[in-house]
Amino acid sequence: MRDRETRWRRRMVRTQIRARGVSDPRILEAFEDVPRHLFVEERFRREAYADNPLPIGHGQTISQPYMVAAMIDSVRPEDGDVVLEVGAGSGYQAAILARLALKVYTVERIRALADGAVKALRSVGAANVEVIVGDGSHGLPGYAPYDVILLAAGVREIPAALLAQLAEGGRLAAPVGGRQHQVLALIRRTEGKLEREELTPCVFVPLIGDGGWDEHSSTVSGSDARPSEEGPLSVTVQRKTHVDKDRTAYP
Ligand code: SAH
């Protein structure tokens, strides 16, 4: 007998992901395997498999399943790839990526969410993911270059630091546009040149930070923005998250 979550998940893959054109068997299998309900609060267990984003606290959301799939399908992670995700949130997208790639680095600016992501990722046995607290708009130069870079939050323009950390043959997907609405953009580095394609309209929470939006206004952070309290990125990167600091309850 399969449990109800497994049945909900199979239906999610069939009706929301495969029916909309994602056909790569490795990607479909990853979505069938990762228990999405373990990345949301217990009270959202059933909704975890619904065709929409869900709140994960701190004004942030876990993306709609199809949007996670469309983004991952656009960059096609391969077995040996090193991946950078900006915006760990619940950790769900990182868990899917962990099934498809060699190593996943994911940066999250809100420490409580990063702590929750670490806990959820541990609970599903994703050992090849590292969660780092900091402003991901600078990327993570220490582990660059990356074969795949994913922005899980919207930007007006893709930060130059992230483009610089994209490997030859690498793919970067990001929601680019206004604070409320964006288009999923795909960048490929081929023979040193960056090629850009626009895929589908989308709605993501804003990327907040030096290379993104200001936290409280609708303006883009500029050179007059105050330096982040986290300090320089090299310090932030050293501060890994630990499960014992978690306050969020996960099933
Ligand atoms: N991939 C996530 C979706 C998270 S929503 C999931 O599967 O659940 C986007 C996340 O980006 C939020 O958690 C938000 O806090 C984070 N974020 C916004 N700006 C950021 C920045 N500059 N650096 C790192 N994370 C950022």
Side-chain angles (χ1 to χ4, degrees):
M1 248 320 252
R2 287 191 196 96
D3 60 22
R4 55 185 190 153
E5 284 83 7
T6 305
R7 282 187 277 112
W8 292 340
R9 195 153 60 246
R10 295 205 156 182
R11 193 184 315 132
M12 172 193 88
V13 171
R14 194 178 67 245
T15 63
Q16 300 175 35
I17 299 178
R18 201 188 302 146
R20 290 176 184 147
V22 176
S23 59
D24 183 331
R26 290 177 73 237
I27 296 179
L28 295 173
E29 203 178 307
F31 278 87
E32 290 209 341
D33 287 350
V34 175
R36 182 170 158 98
H37 61 279
L38 299 183
F39 293 83
V40 299
E41 286 173 46
E42 182 110 45
R43 64 194 165 109
F44 291 134
R45 215 176 170 93
R46 183 183 284 267
E47 283 93 320
Y49 296 100
D51 195 12
N52 47 257
L54 282 176
I56 54 172
H58 304 270
Q60 308 303 321
T61 53
I62 178 173
S63 307
Q64 174 196 20
Y66 172 68
M67 196 40 75
V68 180
M71 197 178 244
I72 290 177
D73 193 39
S74 75
V75 294
R76 294 285 164 104
E78 290 172 15
D79 278 339
D81 282 355
V82 179
V83 178
L84 172 67
E85 180 191 32
V86 178
S90 68
Y92 175 67
Q93 177 156 271
I96 300 278
L97 290 165
R99 296 277 175 141
L100 300 167
L102 179 67
K103 178 83 193 182
V104 179
Y105 297 96
T106 182
V107 188
E108 173 54 54
R109 63 180 280 272
I110 300 174
R111 176 173 288 276
L113 291 178
D115 288 345
V118 167
K119 191 172 179 186
L121 285 160
R122 291 244 171 99
S123 77
V124 303
N128 55 339
V129 182
E130 207 155 325
V131 181
I132 294 123
V133 178
D135 178 359
S137 64
H138 300 284
L140 275 182
Y143 303 106
Y146 302 98
D147 304 295
V148 166
I149 299 179
L150 291 179
L151 274 70
V155 286
R156 168 67 78 192
E157 279 173 50
I158 298 166
L162 293 173
L163 294 172
Q165 291 169 32
L166 191 61
E168 173 57 30
R171 293 85 63 206
L172 178 153
V176 180
R179 195 161 174 141
Q180 313 292 341
H181 300 277
Q182 309 88 29
V183 170
L184 186 63
L186 174 65
I187 311 283
R188 278 197 201 84
R189 186 186 291 282
T190 316
E191 289 165 17
K193 283 206 289 276
L194 296 174
E195 290 161 14
R196 181 177 170 138
E197 205 182 319
E198 301 208 330
L199 302 177
T200 175
C202 53
V203 176
F204 278 77
V205 296
L207 185 112
I208 309 290
D210 292 344
W213 301 88
D214 279 342
E215 182 149 25
H216 299 295
S217 77
S218 60
T219 57
V220 177
S221 273
S223 51
D224 57 349
R226 281 191 304 118
S228 128
E229 281 167 19
E230 297 284 334
L233 191 69
S234 55
V235 175
T236 309
V237 173
Q238 307 310 325
R239 298 214 256 131
K240 310 246 167 64
T241 55
H242 295 284
V243 171
D244 52 340
K245 291 199 190 123
D246 281 341
R247 272 143 299 164
T248 323
Y250 282 84

